Amino acid sequence: MEPILAGALAQFHEAADQVSLRDELRDYLTAFKTVFQTQFPVEMDDGSIRMFDGVRVLHNGARGPTKGGIRYSAHVGLDEVKALAMLMTWKCAVVDLPFGGAKGGVTVEPASLSSNELQNLTRRFTSEIIPIIGPDKDIPAPDMGTNPQVMAWMMDTYSMTHGYTIPGVVTGKPVALGGSEGRFEATGRGILDVMQEHLRAHGGVAGRRVAVQGFGNVGGVAAKLIREAGAKVTHVSDKDTALFHRDGIDTSAAYAFVQRGGTLAAWRDQFARDVEVVAGADVLTADVDILVPAALETVLTEANAGAVRALLIVEGANGPTTPEADAIFRERGIVVIPDILANAGGVTVSYFEWVQARQFQRWSEDRVNQELQRIMARAYQVVSARCPIGTRTCTLRQAANWVAIERVVEAITLRGIYP
Ligand code: NAD
């Protein structure tokens, strides 16, 4: 078994022990409703035919249709997809969306394909998974290596085989095709929302010093919005460059530059020569109040957890903290808002997109942001009520897992076992 799946199962069993889950429910929740694997042909631009491996895993559908991204990456493997499908079940449950968890992927390096080949691959893979996806069954979304254009092709392929347009079959579509306003910024915005809720009694994020690792869809947007909320973002980084300014970096300008295709290094060289270049590792141990790891998994480890100076860590990336680092943070009284809560803003606005598609409605960006804030704040309150800050007997990660598992178990129990 790959470490990623072993880790997901270990975390589940720890939480299951703490909520005294019965053995048969453990078996149920560590099983996968559907594991669909396919090998399918794609015609390449030179007329040759190449075979590809694709997979779609539905973990648990007790709370509703399953939901999760489609990943195109050379490293996609079954265990990884299973672990991520399970994570989606907990993520949807913790923010109380009426969805279960799923994930899928194709083993391919998307950058090695032409746009035409990518479209052929997407349309053929979609046609292979048509029996298991659908707006009432399983709803894919973009993930690593896929984007709104890929979702548009998936939606079109599904719709063509049914004879009419079915926008609710995928989320993360281009706005012109029924994608939701606010979806692009949703994960970063949700990070700010939970942060504000956590600090509500202490004046919010305004005036705090913040370090953000990663400057893409999650980190870049979070860094921009956190600054706009009045914090000083003193450290930011992308894969090549880390930047520091003691008075705060103009993350709005930097993100606008990066969105136009630039890099942090080029932005600094052209517009912000007073910003210092520092080592990437320094961002994680920066002298700040809040750290947002929003790039990669397993960056906070036994090796650097002791040197982290932030008092609050808000996990933008999936799985940035190893269990060893988590134990050190707990010991040191550093609060971690866990990934399944902190980065759930993306799937929450995907849910709004699905609702809009089902009702042929268009919500304004203001409405999307308000509803997102309401859901994120409520989820934070429910989780933190299970583990009040300052009690050293539990962590917000444990509490989030308990809430998620209990909600899925409640749905299973109310539905009963068919027949
Ligand atoms: P992205 O590709 O848009 O951005 C990734 C960023 O991380 C880039 O700026 C890249 O340069 C940077 N990066 C890569 N290696 C780095 C390193 N060693 N040090 C510093 N920066 C580094 O990806 P994203 O969508 O922002 O996703 C980031 C993380 O958030 C992933 O773990 C992803 O699974 C998770 N996530 C994303 C969403 C979403 O809606 N996009 C939702 C939930 C979770």
Side-chain angles (χ1 to χ4, degrees), residues 194 198 290-293 300 305 308 310-317 319-323 325-342 380 383-384 387 389 394-400:
V194 287
H198 177 78
I290 305 169
L291 171 63
V292 183
L300 294 166
V308 167
L311 293 175
L312 173 65
I313 297 172
V314 186
E315 293 185 334
T321 310
T322 64
D326 228 13
I328 295 170
F329 294 144
R330 182 176 178 175
E331 184 62 34
R332 295 184 56 212
I334 296 173
V335 174
V336 180
I337 303 184
D339 49 6
I340 60 167
L341 172 59
Y380 173 83
V383 169
S384 66
C387 179
I389 304 302
C394 54
T395 64
L396 291 178
R397 188 186 313 283
Q398 290 172 328

Side-chain angles (χ1 to χ4, degrees), residues 5 8 70 117 165 180 202 218 234 238 302 373 396 398 401:
L5 182 57
I70 300 269
E117 290 167 342
T165 302
S180 183
H202 309 281
V218 181
T234 56
D238 64 13
E302 210 170 1
Q373 193 277 335
L396 291 178
Q398 290 172 328
N401 285 329

Side-chain angles (χ1 to χ4, degrees), residues 91 183 187 213-219 237-239 294-296 316-318 343:
K91 193 179 291 192
R183 172 64 187 89
T187 305
Q213 184 195 45
F215 210 69
N217 182 234
V218 181
S237 64
D238 64 13
K239 65 181 177 8
L296 305 168
N318 286 321
N343 69 28

Side-chain angles (χ1 to χ4, degrees), residues 68-307:
I70 300 269
R71 188 167 271 209
Y72 287 175
S73 147
H75 307 291
V76 165
L78 183 57
D79 279 2
E80 176 196 55
V81 173
K82 281 181 160 178
L84 294 168
M86 184 181 259
L87 185 78
M88 283 304 294
T89 301
W90 313 139
K91 193 179 291 192
C92 291
V94 87
V95 283
D96 208 8
L97 305 180
F99 288 141
K103 205 79 177 189
V106 176
T107 312
V108 59
E109 181 50 69
S112 71
L113 302 184
S114 70
S115 171
N116 181 50
E117 290 167 342
L118 198 64
Q119 179 171 177
N120 287 347
L121 176 137
T122 299
R123 288 190 182 277
R124 181 60 189 243
F125 177 59
T126 306
S127 73
E128 297 287 338
I129 60 174
I130 276 177
I132 58 170
I133 64 172
D136 295 311
K137 292 201 273 189
D138 174 46
I139 307 136
D143 196 86
M144 194 187 288
T146 55
N147 55 29
Q149 175 62 71
V150 170
M151 293 304 114
W153 290 327
M154 289 191 80
M155 189 278 271
D156 185 68
T157 305
Y158 187 85
S159 298
M160 288 300 104
T161 61
H162 286 75
Y164 57 102
T165 302
I166 307 174
V169 67
V170 293
T171 61
K173 298 179 293 293
V175 173
L177 266 186
S180 183
E181 297 290 347
R183 172 64 187 89
F184 183 77
E185 290 200 339
T187 305
R189 187 173 289 281
I191 287 170
L192 173 64
D193 290 337
V194 287
M195 215 183 252
Q196 291 283 35
E197 202 56 30
H198 177 78
L199 297 167
R200 180 174 292 281
H202 309 281
V205 303
R208 314 265 171 180
R209 288 161 310 140
V210 184
V212 181
Q213 184 195 45
F215 210 69
N217 182 234
V218 181
V221 171
K224 168 180 158 272
L225 297 177
I226 289 166
R227 173 182 173 272
E228 287 168 6
K232 274 186 188 162
V233 180
T234 56
H235 297 70
V236 294
S237 64
D238 64 13
K239 65 181 177 8
D240 302 313
T241 312
L243 302 179
F244 162 71
H245 196 294
R246 58 193 299 276
D247 298 330
I249 294 166
D250 184 352
T251 47
S252 307
Y255 189 59
F257 184 84
V258 167
Q259 264 194 307
R260 291 194 299 270
T263 61
L264 275 179
W267 174 75
R268 186 243 167 221
D269 288 348
Q270 289 178 41
F271 300 106
R273 297 305 292 252
D274 57 332
V275 168
E276 266 179 60
V277 176
V278 294
D282 293 353
V283 173
L284 299 172
T285 55
D287 184 13
V288 290
D289 303 307
I290 305 169
L291 171 63
V292 183
L296 305 168
E297 63 282 1
T298 62
V299 292
L300 294 166
T301 65
E302 210 170 1
N304 60 8

